[in-house]
Amino acid sequence: MYRILCFVFAVFYFGVFSANAIEKSPSVFYPLPTQTQGKVYAAKSLFVGDAGGIWLHDVHGKIRFFDGQTILPRQGSILSDDYQQLVYLTNAFWTVIDGSLNKISTNDVRTRAVDLPVGTVIDKIGVSGKSIWMVSKDYFYTYNTQSLLLESYTLKTLTHFDKSKRVVVNDATFGISKWVLATNSGVFLSENHSFVHVPRSGDDYVETLF
């Protein structure tokens, strides 16, 4: 059982926040049955469509659309390729392909948005506001979809208590002026393109930021 801390951030300039700990097992799959079609889809991500409906990203990397009654397509995927890491923002999907962040429209038109440093391998991707965030072994990258600015933050400062423990980023969000990371070893705030630990978060496993 993990302790999931739900953080409500009040004043980021001073790192002030309140936390509520909840005992809960981390959820991974969200089964969505469609009895009339005789199928059950195991989705690992659900995205609310800009014009309504829900996009399903299943455990096999396929994308389908649920309009409240029917899931389409019944076979295969709306996209021509399967993607294990995928997020949704502004009526488009975003993923990293061959070292570049790509934008894929809902009608499967792919556009390269920005190149990452050569050799970068992305372990996790997410969305906060109008930005896409990405995590590699040593860096945290953010791409603002409005300004088109790519920024990087070192993760080499993500150590606390047990120096031999590898700190893993589970979630990220941007608030007022700082990026906030939820990790398996507490919460960290961005500072001069690196991160500092928030003492009040302790060494707890933090899965999700709200």
Side-chain angles (χ1 to χ4, degrees):
M1 300 290 283
Y2 293 110
R3 297 187 67 208
I4 302 176
L5 298 182
C6 302
F7 287 89
V8 179
F9 294 90
V11 184
F12 281 91
Y13 295 108
F14 302 101
V16 178
F17 63 88
S18 61
N20 183 26
I22 304 173
E23 288 292 339
K24 181 181 179 183
S25 296
S27 298
V28 179
F29 304 124
Y30 308 90
L32 183 62
T34 53
Q35 295 179 350
T36 57
Q37 296 181 347
K39 288 191 174 184
V40 176
Y41 297 93
K44 64 179 181 180
S45 301
L46 302 176
F47 309 119
V48 178
D50 288 25
I54 298 175
W55 295 99
L56 285 74
H57 181 211
D58 73 15
V59 296
H60 304 293
K62 300 183 184 304
I63 292 289
R64 296 180 174 89
F65 184 73
F66 180 58
D67 63 6
Q69 295 182 332
T70 306
I71 291 182
L72 295 172
R74 294 191 64 180
Q75 300 292 333
S77 174
I78 284 177
L79 303 182
S80 55
D81 295 317
D82 298 338
Y83 303 98
Q84 291 302 317
Q85 294 193 71
L86 195 79
V87 293
Y88 179 86
L89 178 64
T90 318
N91 201 36
F93 303 103
W94 299 78
T95 189
V96 175
I97 303 172
D98 297 330
S100 299
L101 177 64
N102 283 251
K103 177 181 180 180
I104 308 173
S105 68
T106 54
N107 60 349
D108 203 18
V109 176
R110 192 171 79 186
T111 305
R112 186 173 62 185
V114 66
D115 292 326
L116 299 172
V118 176
T120 298
V121 176
I122 296 301
D123 299 321
K124 195 174 185 69
I125 184 171
V127 171
S128 178
K130 295 299 182 182
S131 293
I132 306 294
W133 56 264
M134 298 160 282
V135 179
S136 70
K137 179 182 177 182
D138 295 320
Y139 288 92
F140 176 80
Y141 298 97
T142 65
Y143 177 73
N144 189 300
T145 59
Q146 293 184 323
S147 68
L148 309 183
L149 178 65
L150 177 71
E151 294 189 277
S152 64
Y153 301 76
T154 180
L155 295 179
K156 296 178 181 179
T157 56
L158 263 64
T159 57
H160 189 61
F161 297 113
D162 184 357
K163 301 299 182 182
S164 64
K165 178 181 178 181
R166 179 172 179 253
V167 179
V168 177
V169 177
N170 297 319
D171 194 14
T173 190
F174 186 81
I176 301 180
S177 64
K178 295 178 182 291
W179 279 97
V180 187
L181 303 185
T183 78
N184 62 336
S185 188
V187 173
F188 291 77
L189 294 180
S190 62
E191 178 107 6
N192 297 325
H193 287 273
S194 62
F195 289 92
V196 295
H197 183 257
V198 177
R200 290 182 60 185
S201 69
D203 197 30
D204 289 301
Y205 181 100
V206 184
E207 181 177 3
T208 306
L209 297 169
F210 298 98

